[in-house]
């Protein structure tokens, strides 16, 4: 049976709830549904599962978009009630007749709901009886009789239909059967007695065997065996012309004498005169980080015109053109009574294709379109408004809601709060191999230094060769301390000792560099889970490339899943934020930002857009949305 049925407005005002349900809900399934599904543009899903201690619920919902109402039903997940969808539709229909915007209590609806529930349960029982297995038996018996009456030729036809070689068959009037191959010009003839005569062209049993004559001809055309030797001469001439002159590098002679050429090409910043000059160069030439600069958006009038042209031009469906200019103009002026799903499909299909061309994962684009369709279906179209522009506006609002952070991402404020508690603010950088964790860690350190924050690096990538040296180089250039223990050490212990060292030295922030690992590498994921559980960092940053498409969904979802499964804590730490790298190499393919945020719910906190320490900026939500819909 149902556990709860609730009716509320999109603003959160509860209008009616069923009072005859005696069992109280465990946990807060409806609040979780609103936060995790309805506000996250996942309302196109069929249902939502909520697991609480001692109970597991399934939730289904429907909208009345014209009135702005939400209907939610809650029931035990193990029951698999068949009448819930039917009951929600009936409740939506009847309640919309009674709804008045000025009323906030609908006590008279209790009796109506009881009657609707009884009718829905009765229809579900009748559906079970009419769709039981014995009703299918006569049809199967009739089918067997048909096969037996047709005899052997029918059996051969059945086998031919199941052939996987692309062959099709047709029955002759005299009972014979002809098989025609789509990939060859088979010469098949039917005789008078129903048998099939195969022509001379297909007498060989090895139809798919190699044709030796044809291979010899191809070999002769290639110039390597045509008999006259001209092919070999031509190849030799071309080889002589194409062969470049090789530049031979002079071998360095290693002996006891001092080297004549300079061998040390590194930057010495430890105290000599040249080092002092390069420190000044770093401080003056690098300049202010892009994190502290406001990005100015250009005029979007041209983009809107392009959108209008796309909506009315090449992206429009042929079915839409059949309506004609007058009918579309009349519908735009008079408005449409209620939008139906068929009205929204052409515009949503164009938007889905547009999002996928911008590198949005196909699964995410499809779910977004389903959510937008659920929010618009049944809504009245305003006058002088086209369906395409309505869908475009709804999608733009949905994208802004998804990409806008729902919590504070002001790291500087969190650093000062941790400083007041006399403990360092710990940030752990995680991600797959080769995405730029160490480089962007140095960019974050440079930005923090500009805000008078003392930073210490922790070299916890004890797996990759050269990782400690790379981080040591960044620390030397930025003149900040680094905590390292070399290679083949437990990264969780190294991070713990680094945090303890930062507490003793009074460092405000500890930036922990970790080894790159694929999301399917369970030993390395277990080590990462141990590092996070043992040190309990303030921020877990996932570093991902802006170049990835569908792989972004797999990476983030599996990272979160592994951190949850391999953690020994009852409340495991998941990814808190995202750092997108290589953003300067993707042009308008910005869909990875949307895919990552949609999958994890974590905000994009930093965007890497270059090779220097200043090339780190915030995510401009409006710019990303306009680029996605451009």
């Amino acid at each position: 049976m149902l556990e709860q049925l609730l009716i509320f407005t999109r603003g959160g005002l509860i209008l009616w709830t069923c009072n005859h349900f005696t069992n109280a809900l465990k946990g807060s399934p409806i609040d979780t549904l609103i936060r995790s599904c309805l506000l996250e543009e996942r309302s196109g899903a069929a249902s939502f599962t909520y697991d609480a201690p001692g109970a597991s619920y399934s939730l289904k919902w429907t909208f009345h978009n014209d009135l702005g109402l939400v209907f939610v039903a809650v029931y035990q997940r193990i029951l698999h009630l068949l009448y819930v969808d039917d009951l929600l539709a009936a409740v939506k229909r009847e309640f919309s007749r009674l709804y008045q915007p000025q009323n906030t209590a609908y006590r008279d609806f209790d009796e109506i709901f009881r009657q609707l529930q009884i009718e829905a349960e009765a229809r579900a029982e009748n559906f079970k009886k009419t769709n039981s297995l014995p009703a299918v038996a006569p049809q199967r018996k009739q089918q067997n009789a048909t096969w037996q009456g047709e005899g052997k030729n029918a059996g051969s036809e059945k086998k031919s239909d199941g052939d996987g070689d692309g062959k099709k068959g047709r029955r002759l009037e005299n009972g014979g059967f002809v098989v025609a191959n789509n990939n060859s010009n088979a010469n098949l003839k039917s005789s008078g007695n129903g048998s099939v005569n195969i022509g001379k062209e297909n007498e060989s049993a090895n139809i798919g065997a190699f044709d030796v004559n044809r291979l010899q001809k191809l070999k002769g055309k290639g110039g390597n065996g045509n008999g006259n030797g001209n092919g070999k001469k031509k190849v030799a001439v071309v080889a002589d012309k194409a062969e470049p002159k090789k530049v031979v590098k002079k071998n360095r002679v290693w002996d006891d004498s001092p080297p004549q050429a300079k061998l040390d090409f590194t930057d010495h910043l430890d105290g000599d005169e040249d080092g002092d000059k390069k420190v000044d160069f770093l401080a003056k030439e690098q300049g202010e980080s892009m994190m502290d600069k406001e990005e100015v958006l250009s005029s979007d009038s041209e983009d809107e015109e392009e959108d209008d042209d796309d909506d009315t031009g090449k992206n429009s469906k042929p079915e839409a053109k059949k309506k004609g200019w007058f009918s579309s103009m009349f519908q735009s002026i008079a408005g449409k009574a209620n939008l139906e799903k068929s009205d929204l499909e052409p515009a949503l299909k164009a938007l889905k294709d547009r999002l996928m061309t911008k590198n949005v994962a196909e699964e995410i684009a499809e779910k977004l379109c389903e959510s937008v369709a659920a929010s618009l279906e049944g809504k009245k179209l305003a006058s002088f408004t086209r369906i395409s522009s309505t869908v475009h506006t709804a999608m733009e609002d949905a994208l802004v809601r998804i990409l806008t952070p729902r919590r504070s991402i002001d790291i500087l404020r969190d650093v000062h709060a941790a400083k007041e508690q006399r403990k360092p603010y710990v940030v752990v950088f995680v991600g797959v191999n080769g995405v730029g964790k160490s480089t962007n860690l140095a960019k974050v350190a440079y930005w923090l230094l500009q805000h008078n924050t003392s930073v210490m690096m922790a070299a916890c990538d004890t797996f990759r060769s050269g990782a400690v040296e790379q981080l040591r180089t960044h620390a030397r250039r930025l003149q900040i301390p680094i905590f390292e223990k070399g290679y083949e050490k437990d990264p969780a212990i190294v991070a713990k000792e680094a945090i303890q060292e930062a507490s003793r030295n009074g460092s405000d922030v500890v930036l922990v560099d970790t080894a790159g690992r694929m999301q399917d590498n369970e030993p390395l994921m277990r080590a990462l889970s141990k590092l996070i559980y043992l040190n309990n960092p303030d921020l877990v940053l996932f570093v991902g490339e802006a170049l990835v498409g569908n792989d972004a969904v797999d990476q983030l979802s599996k990272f979160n899943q592994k951190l949850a499964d391999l953690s020994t804590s009852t409340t495991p730490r998941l990814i808190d934020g995202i750092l997108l790298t290589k953003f300067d190499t993707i042009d308008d393919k910005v869909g990875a930002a949307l895919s990552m945020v949609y999958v994890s719910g974590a905000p994009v906190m930093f965007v890497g857009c270059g090779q220097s320490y200043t090339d780190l900026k915030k995510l401009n939500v409006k710019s990303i949305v306009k680029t996605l819909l451009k």
Side-chain angles (χ1 to χ4, degrees), residues 170-177 190 194:
R170 60 183 178 87
R171 184 177 301 283
L172 299 178
E173 295 179 358
N174 54 9
F177 191 78
S190 175

Side-chain angles (χ1 to χ4, degrees), residues 125-169:
E125 290 296 329
N126 292 334
F127 180 79
K128 288 181 180 179
K129 293 178 181 179
T130 55
N131 289 274
S132 56
L133 289 177
V136 187
Q139 184 177 358
R140 186 179 301 172
K141 185 177 181 180
Q142 182 180 0
Q143 184 178 2
N144 293 335
T146 302
W147 285 113
Q148 292 174 2
E150 292 183 357
K152 296 182 179 179
N153 291 330
S156 63
E157 180 179 359
K158 184 177 180 182
K159 293 180 180 178
S160 300
D161 289 341
D163 194 359
D165 296 331
K167 297 180 181 179
K168 296 182 180 179

Side-chain angles (χ1 to χ4, degrees), residues 431-470:
V432 299
N433 307 79
V435 294
K437 290 183 295 298
S438 302
T439 303
N440 285 273
L441 182 147
K443 294 179 184 180
V444 174
Y446 180 80
W447 171 66
L448 291 171
L449 288 174
Q450 289 187 322
H451 291 272
N452 300 322
T453 303
S454 59
V455 183
M456 187 179 77
M457 294 182 179
C460 295
D461 185 356
T462 62
F463 182 77
R464 176 174 64 90
S465 299
V468 176
E469 288 79 5
Q470 179 185 6

Side-chain angles (χ1 to χ4, degrees), residues 597-612:
V597 174
Y598 190 89
V599 169
S600 64
V604 177
M605 306 184 70
F606 301 100
V607 174
C609 54
Q611 300 296 325
S612 63

Side-chain angles (χ1 to χ4, degrees), residues 13 31 36 53 73 77 94 101 116 172 208 263 351 365 409 466 497 531 555 570 609 614:
L13 177 63
D31 293 341
S36 303
R77 182 182 178 185
E94 296 298 330
L116 292 176
L172 299 178
L263 299 180
L351 274 180
I409 58 173
E497 294 178 358
L531 186 149
Q555 287 179 6
T570 55
C609 54
T614 60

Side-chain angles (χ1 to χ4, degrees), residues 67-128:
L67 300 179
L69 301 178
V70 184
F71 304 81
V72 180
V74 185
Y75 60 96
Q76 291 284 348
R77 182 182 178 185
I78 197 174
L79 295 181
H80 300 290
L81 301 181
L82 300 178
Y83 63 88
V84 175
D85 293 328
D86 187 18
L87 178 61
L88 282 174
V91 170
K92 172 183 173 181
R93 181 183 65 251
E94 296 298 330
F95 190 84
S96 60
R97 297 175 182 174
L98 301 176
Y99 177 69
Q100 297 293 333
Q102 62 273 13
N103 293 344
T104 58
Y106 294 87
R107 297 175 181 174
D108 298 337
F109 192 70
D110 293 346
E111 188 61 33
I112 298 176
F113 172 74
R114 291 191 185 94
Q115 186 64 29
L116 292 176
Q117 186 179 10
I118 293 173
E119 294 175 359
E121 291 176 351
R123 285 193 294 270
E125 290 296 329
N126 292 334
F127 180 79
K128 288 181 180 179

